[in-house]
Amino acid sequence: MLNPNLDDIQLSKDDYERYARHIILPEVGLEGQKRLKAASVLCIGTGGLGSPLLLYLAAAGIGRIGIVDFDVVDHSNLQRQVIHGTSWVGKPKIESAKHRILEINPTCQVDLYNTRLSSENALDIFRPYDVVIDGTDNFPTRYLTNDACVLLDKPNVYGSIFRFEGQATVFNYEGGPNYRDLYPEPPPPGMVPSCAEGGVLGVLPGIIGVIQATEAIKIILGSNTTLSGRLLLYNALEMSFRELKLRPNPVRPVIEKLIDYEQFCGIPQAQAEAEQEKAAMQEMTVTELKALLDSDAQDYVLIDVRNPNEYEIAQIPGAVLIPLPDIEQGPGVEKVKAVLNGHRLIAHCKMGGRSATAIRILKEHGIDGTNVVGGITAWSQEVDSSVPQY
């Protein structure tokens, strides 16, 4: 429980009007609203999760909000990152977020950290804040956030999303479990697809982000009914919630210092292996592919390994759709052999990653192929701008 000194915290006439619906709640009251005004919360990320939780923390009257992010607003963000608007495309997310927060709550102190969170800066950034909220989407930063919170004894409000599913809990709060109790070891790099590859329902991060904001507010108010020790699982497609119990692992390693989290998650090793595979793999650029398509050559077949719904959005002329899952599961390999009929294989996907995977699998079956670097995204950017990007 946070125990701020409330003697110097005064609410203005505007505060009484603005937070009247809070103050009349017995569970909040005048003292609770003062707690919110005295509190400081750090949000890691201003993406899908950070957007709604920052809006509601500001509206609730949090006195100081810190934001860590180094990205800029992209058109593809606007489907779910509701704190940003079209006029902010191409500009820093933290500046966009601050602008919107101050429109909601002009008295809020907003601290901006336009930097990548690292083992070198995390402790210094976290130290001034009462609560840390993890709105990130990658495993190295999640482990870093967890370990820094453990070392500084800060509550860590966690959330994650993918496609139609999300989860939330509170880590490192009053003796409760931390992230390493849920995930002792990170998954192999590339095993968990990103939202850019797998997609995400636009309203999903709104739901999980608001749950995170709710938990942060309850921690500040001193509630004993937080999600600590409970992992909340949400399925938007089924509109269902369920819970899993979490307990501290008595034999988990003691966190004594921050480490190299990229190394811990196996990313440098995976990148080195990918570079070796890339060096051994035949590749072509989209401009080379365009020249080939414009020629009279008949000795090749272009395979598109994206999913059918992606194929509906945009196609490269003449490409034959054989999705990567079909190739991974076996039937697609026979389809490729039948389509090739002795011709050479060229494969593409959205950005080149899945088609490289397909070529590696097909090579195990005696089929050599050439990967299109950058996939259909590069095709749209460099060859045919009328092809939609997604």
Side-chain angles (χ1 to χ4, degrees), residues 97-169:
K98 179 178 181 178
H99 175 81
R100 187 74 182 95
I101 287 170
L102 293 180
E103 282 191 342
I104 296 171
N105 182 357
T107 64
C108 180
Q109 176 183 330
V110 184
D111 308 327
L112 303 183
Y113 303 91
N114 189 7
T115 183
R116 182 189 295 271
L117 196 68
S118 69
S119 297
E120 287 70 37
N121 62 23
L123 295 177
D124 288 337
I125 292 175
F126 285 23
R127 193 168 281 111
Y129 297 92
D130 301 318
V131 179
V132 176
I133 305 183
D134 184 351
T136 62
D137 60 358
N138 66 87
F139 288 98
T141 309
R142 287 172 182 166
Y143 280 100
L144 168 59
T145 299
N146 175 79
D147 292 2
C149 285
V150 170
L151 290 173
L152 295 172
D153 195 24
K154 306 280 187 185
N156 173 14
V157 183
Y158 165 78
S160 70
I161 53 170
F162 180 65
R163 301 196 66 182
F164 294 93
E165 298 180 354
Q167 53 184 233
T169 188

Side-chain angles (χ1 to χ4, degrees), residues 342-360:
H343 295 84
R344 64 189 176 109
L345 168 68
I346 301 172
H348 87 85
C349 62
K350 181 181 179 182
M351 292 183 288
R354 282 175 286 173
S355 50
T357 299
I359 289 173
R360 287 195 296 271

Side-chain angles (χ1 to χ4, degrees), residues 36-59:
L36 294 172
K37 188 169 185 176
S40 56
V41 177
L42 180 69
C43 180
I44 316 299
T46 53
L49 295 172
S51 289
L53 69 87
L54 284 169
L55 291 172
Y56 275 97
L57 290 178

Side-chain angles (χ1 to χ4, degrees), residues 43-81:
C43 180
I44 316 299
T46 53
L49 295 172
S51 289
L53 69 87
L54 284 169
L55 291 172
Y56 275 97
L57 290 178
I62 299 298
R64 180 183 181 186
I65 295 176
I67 310 171
V68 184
D69 206 319
F70 60 94
D71 199 4
V72 298
V73 181
D74 183 82
H75 275 106
S76 65
N77 301 147
L78 303 180
Q79 164 252 16
R80 63 202 176 280
Q81 299 181 18

